[in-house]
Amino acid sequence: MAINVNTVYTTVLAVLNKEQRGYLTPYEFNSLAVQVQLEIFEKYFEDLNVMLRNPSNNTEYADRVKTLEEKINTFETSAAVTVTLSGEFGQYNFSAQSPAVHRFGMLEYTNGSLLPVEVEKVPKHEFLLTRRSQLTAPTQDYPICYIEGTTINILPGIASVASVNGSPAQVYNLEYVKKPADPSWAFTVGTVGQYLYDSGNSVNFEISDLDQSELILKILAYAGVVVRDPEVTQAAAGAAAQIEQSQIS
Amino acid sequence: MSKTVATIPIKENDSQYYAGQYGPLQNTSGVNQTVFSFPDLNTTLISNYDDLGTSTQVRSTGNFTAHLLATATTLPSTSNQIPVGNIIVTNTTNNTIQLKNIQGSAIPNNQFIFLQLTDVAIGENYGSYSVLSLNDIINNFIVAYTGQDKILTRIKRADVLFHARRAIQEFSYDTIPSTKSMETTVPNTLNVPLPKDYVNYIRLSWADVDGVLRTIYPLSGLSGNPTEIPVVDANGVPTQDAFGSNLESSGSIIEQRWDTANQNTLSGNYDPYNNNGVYDHVWWKQAYGQRYGLEPELAQSNGYFSVNERLGTFSFSGNVANKIIMISYISDGLSYDLDSIVPKMLEEAMYSKIMSNIITPRNDVDGNTKAFYKRDAYVKTRNAKIRLSNLKLGEIVQIFRGQAKWIKR
């Protein structure tokens, strides 16, 4: 579930304004919000890597792997893509994919009414090696691909085709992780020049609300730098570190 | 021959399985219908034509006929059969066919289409539940044996494909019973080409007038088929042509002599006109029927064969000429399709074999684990061999009844 951007901004302001320490403008807040959301988002993948190596449990709410996977699932998306033939390869360029591809997940290929099969992504070197063996050479049942820049090269080269008169449709589906949308605290200017929250034009944080405390503390740590108050930075960074520690220990 | 694989659970109904019939399916679209699917069949439909426009036949192995029925109770017959040139298969994944949009082929509204498989296709589908496809084995293995929290956490699919296909090759050689055999006639040249997917032979035999198979024995060094027969000069040095290559003789003298050899001189068979060392009663009454120097191994009259590497053929001895022979042989299971069939009796052994072969070269698996899986694969392969040997108690009991027969000495 998303985190309301106004809740975060008002909380940050409440902490900063205590004892008249300083003020964080919406422009400054929005820049810090983008930065911190990305930091927390990227940490999901690193944390998952660590958690997968630890003994797991089977509880409903305390399984860290499950929790992290749920956090990441929010950003998993898929889209039907059109593969075209280029020489012997099927090719798809995902540079214009919307929402943009942040982490490539999997390319699925479906031949007519058969069950979809994964187009296994391998490094280019392995791609070449795999082709050399007659026993492992890519087939329609077991296609492979490698990525060069933003282009996926697929073998065997089969282009996307719609079904005509019952002929098998050739369909590709790209599964990937998108980047969270940039949060934004939008405002209008009030009668006395004050900033008024504009919920209609604001963008909430997309990361899990389980990370709300960490999000606020990290923004506060950066805010301390902005308002030149090391005490705030120190206290917020300490608290954020404590949360992180408890999450991975 | 291309055996089919049944689904789990079985999708085909009784008439689809036993009679190879599908339908009648009614056209309720309101207009002429030209596209129909028959997804429940195990058999992949094959049409003799690939293009309705060109009317050029591309194969003769079509495996079905389609009929246009006016009512659901109309019997399919040649009179209502849709011409094979007016049907193409457009989708082999769910057996979709397309009919030519002309009268007598396209199905009018409220009328019916009925599909009948050929006898060969029906036969290939019988027993389809006893096997599964190699792709099923590979997919099952990936699902059940690889991934997070499994011993094979991270594995390339190419590794699984390689070892699965190698496993089916190995099992084809000594565990899966040979199902490949070919009936043919030995020509006067005494050479029969090796089958297209030949890997090794099981048995070659000729059929007598009662259809009883008589084993033809391998040559075992008695004669031979040279792989090279250079033309030599008076000093025994091979001669060359204008391009510097050795001149090769058109035929082997050894083979010519063997082809015309008198088999009785080897087998010791009595011939009143050529006694070949057998003492007959005319001259040696005291030693009638005896033959000194007889090799029991050679005392047979069924003939000999050898694998002639030079010609790529089975070469036979002269006494097998013009006989009907059966060649039983093994292939490696991958000759026509990488997605070959695997007996269900072998399924568990396949998983263990793939597992063992995959972890053996890995450096992240300890030696004890490797040894465990190697043993596991060995045990399961042995079990599979016993299962596939098809030893049935009742049959063994019948064979044991032979113990009551007195052997005359």
Side-chain angles (χ1 to χ4, degrees):
Chain A
M1 218 166 78
I3 306 169
N4 187 294
V5 69
N6 191 43
T7 309
V8 176
Y9 187 38
T10 49
T11 311
V12 169
L13 286 183
V15 175
L16 279 183
N17 284 339
K18 195 168 185 297
E19 299 169 3
Q20 300 299 313
R21 286 174 191 273
Y23 181 75
L24 194 68
T25 66
Y27 302 106
E28 291 164 340
F29 172 79
N30 286 343
S31 318
L32 297 184
V34 171
Q35 165 70 16
V36 171
Q37 178 173 251
L38 269 183
E39 248 179 57
I40 294 175
F41 173 66
E42 284 302 330
K43 207 159 65 66
Y44 288 163
F45 303 98
E46 295 308 316
D47 287 352
L48 182 61
N49 182 16
V50 173
M51 291 308 157
L52 285 173
R53 281 179 274 156
N54 291 341
S56 188
N57 63 61
N58 193 27
T59 54
E60 190 62 34
Y61 302 112
D63 185 342
R64 285 169 171 170
V65 170
K66 199 166 78 176
T67 307
L68 276 167
E69 281 174 345
E70 282 169 2
K71 287 179 181 178
I72 294 170
N73 285 349
T74 316
F75 301 97
E76 279 179 346
T77 184
S78 66
V81 297
T82 304
V83 170
T84 52
L85 274 184
S86 172
E88 59 177 333
F89 295 107
Q91 280 191 338
Y92 175 69
N93 191 322
F94 57 81
S95 58
Q97 186 67 36
S98 176
V101 176
H102 180 60
R103 281 174 189 249
F104 182 92
M106 177 176 63
L107 186 65
E108 265 183 356
Y109 161 68
T110 309
N111 174 17
S113 59
L114 295 181
L115 289 172
V117 59
E118 179 185 354
V119 183
E120 190 179 34
K121 188 185 71 157
V122 292
K124 188 171 181 182
H125 174 65
E126 267 177 36
F127 184 87
L128 298 175
L129 282 179
T130 305
R131 291 181 70 186
R132 282 187 194 167
S133 165
Q134 291 184 343
L135 292 183
T136 60
T139 60
Q140 209 164 355
D141 289 327
Y142 298 104
I144 59 172
C145 70
Y146 72 92
I147 297 178
E148 205 166 43
T150 54
T151 302
I152 308 171
N153 295 285
I154 305 158
L155 272 183
I158 301 165
S160 301
V161 188
S163 173
V164 179
N165 285 328
S167 64
Q170 307 296 313
V171 177
Y172 290 88
N173 215 44
L174 180 64
E175 313 268 343
Y176 64 100
V177 173
K178 63 175 184 176
K179 231 169 144 175
D182 290 348
S184 166
W185 191 87
F187 59 89
T188 53
V189 180
T191 48
V192 290
Q194 79 276 32
Y195 297 126
L196 295 174
Y197 176 55
D198 177 1
S199 63
N201 290 318
S202 292
V203 179
N204 288 329
F205 291 91
E206 285 190 339
I207 55 173
S208 167
D209 56 357
L210 295 174
D211 296 314
Q212 184 166 335
S213 308
E214 193 180 348
L215 175 73
I216 292 170
L217 287 168
K218 283 197 164 174
I219 293 177
L220 267 175
Y222 282 116
V225 177
V226 174
V227 300
R228 295 184 181 175
D229 189 338
E231 213 177 300
V232 174
T233 304
Q234 235 167 19
Q242 219 172 354
I243 292 175
E244 267 180 45
Q245 189 61 32
S246 70
Q247 280 175 350
I248 58 169
S249 60
Chain B
M1 196 177 85
S2 170
K3 289 293 289 182
T4 60
V5 178
T7 55
I8 304 175
I10 293 171
K11 277 196 303 187
E12 284 187 329
N13 63 28
D14 289 344
S15 76
Q16 286 162 3
Y17 177 78
Y18 289 108
Q21 296 174 343
Y22 204 118
L25 304 178
Q26 190 174 20
N27 171 16
T28 54
S29 65
V31 292
N32 278 0
Q33 191 173 340
T34 56
V35 176
F36 289 88
S37 291
F38 306 91
D40 292 342
L41 290 176
N42 296 332
T43 305
T44 300
L45 296 182
I46 301 169
S47 53
N48 283 345
Y49 292 77
D50 278 351
D51 193 336
L52 290 176
T54 61
S55 69
T56 304
Q57 185 170 347
V58 289
R59 64 182 74 84
S60 61
T61 49
N63 61 0
F64 69 96
T65 57
H67 300 262
L68 195 169
L69 308 184
T71 67
T73 53
T74 308
L75 290 175
S77 65
T78 50
S79 63
N80 54 30
Q81 184 183 331
I82 300 169
V84 290
N86 293 349
I87 311 169
I88 58 168
V89 175
T90 53
N91 186 350
T92 52
T93 59
N94 63 353
N95 279 332
T96 303
I97 62 168
Q98 189 188 359
L99 308 170
K100 207 167 197 170
N101 197 5
I102 58 171
Q103 192 176 4
S105 293
I107 311 297
N109 189 40
N110 284 330
Q111 294 199 14
F112 298 82
I113 187 170
F114 181 85
L115 189 107
Q116 174 66 59
L117 294 179
T118 60
D119 289 345
V120 173
I122 294 171
E124 287 172 350
N125 190 40
Y126 286 159
S128 54
Y129 197 68
S130 65
V131 293
L132 70 171
S133 78
L134 186 57
N135 278 358
D136 287 336
I137 296 265
I138 291 167
N139 293 333
N140 291 349
F141 183 87
I142 291 172
V143 168
Y145 291 84
T146 68
Q148 197 59 44
D149 301 329
K150 313 261 175 65
I151 189 159
L152 295 170
T153 309
R154 198 170 53 86
I155 177 82
K156 285 182 288 180
R157 194 173 61 192
D159 285 352
V160 181
L161 293 179
F162 176 82
H163 289 296
R165 288 168 181 166
R166 280 293 301 121
I168 194 68
Q169 286 181 315
E170 288 298 321
F171 282 141
S172 295
Y173 303 148
D174 62 1
T175 307
I176 301 172
S178 166
T179 54
K180 296 261 181 187
S181 55
M182 187 170 85
E183 179 184 310
T184 186
T185 306
V186 177
N188 287 328
T189 60
L190 299 173
N191 287 311
V192 172
L194 298 177
K196 199 159 76 167
D197 55 348
Y198 169 85
V199 171
N200 205 341
Y201 68 86
I202 300 285
R203 181 192 184 203
L204 277 79
S205 46
W206 63 271
D208 65 15
V209 288
D210 295 322
V212 174
L213 294 175
R214 311 275 179 156
T215 303
I216 307 170
Y217 292 94
L219 207 47
S220 304
L222 209 53
S223 183
N225 308 103
T227 54
E228 286 181 36
I229 36 179
V231 177
V232 295
D233 62 14
N235 296 322
V237 177
T239 54
Q240 286 79 35
D241 60 16
F243 302 100
S245 300
N246 276 353
L247 289 167
E248 289 278 327
S249 171
S250 57
S252 158
I253 295 169
I254 297 171
E255 287 172 7
Q256 283 169 14
R257 289 180 180 176
W258 172 247
D259 290 349
T260 55
N262 180 1
Q263 294 295 316
N264 289 345
T265 59
L266 299 168
S267 65
N269 188 27
Y270 175 68
D271 179 352
Y273 301 104
N274 181 4
N275 62 15
N276 295 309
V278 180
Y279 298 112
D280 65 19
H281 70 284
V282 179
W283 301 102
W284 300 90
K285 294 183 177 58
Q286 289 179 327
Y288 172 61
Q290 293 182 18
R291 187 196 196 287
Y292 293 99
L294 175 75
E295 280 287 344
E297 182 190 353
L298 306 176
Q300 54 96 8
S301 58
N302 286 338
Y304 295 91
F305 76 93
S306 59
V307 177
N308 190 331
E309 298 290 351
R310 189 180 82 258
L311 301 176
T313 60
F314 285 118
S315 292
F316 294 90
S317 53
N319 58 340
V320 191
N322 299 313
K323 285 190 166 147
I324 306 292
I325 60 162
M326 189 165 100
I327 302 170
S328 302
Y329 66 99
I330 46 175
S331 189
D332 69 353
L334 300 175
S335 49
Y336 292 106
D337 192 355
L338 286 174
D339 187 14
S340 63
I341 57 168
V342 182
K344 281 185 175 165
M345 296 284 189
L346 193 67
E347 187 177 357
E348 192 60 28
M350 280 289 291
Y351 295 140
S352 295
K353 186 83 170 173
I354 297 169
M355 184 66 155
S356 170
N357 287 354
I358 283 178
I359 66 168
T360 299
R362 284 179 79 102
N363 61 6
D364 60 346
V365 180
D366 65 282
N368 286 339
T369 310
K370 288 179 182 177
F372 170 81
Y373 280 106
K374 190 173 180 184
R375 181 77 194 162
D376 187 53
Y378 173 77
V379 168
K380 284 175 180 164
T381 302
R382 195 177 52 182
N383 279 350
K385 278 186 186 176
I386 293 169
R387 287 170 172 180
L388 291 166
S389 304
N390 228 5
L391 298 170
K392 308 287 190 234
L393 186 60
E395 294 165 15
I396 289 179
V397 167
Q398 185 65 14
I399 292 166
F400 284 173
R401 296 218 159 93
Q403 72 177 332
K405 180 178 170 61
W406 282 33
I407 297 171
K408 192 177 171 185
R409 287 181 182 271

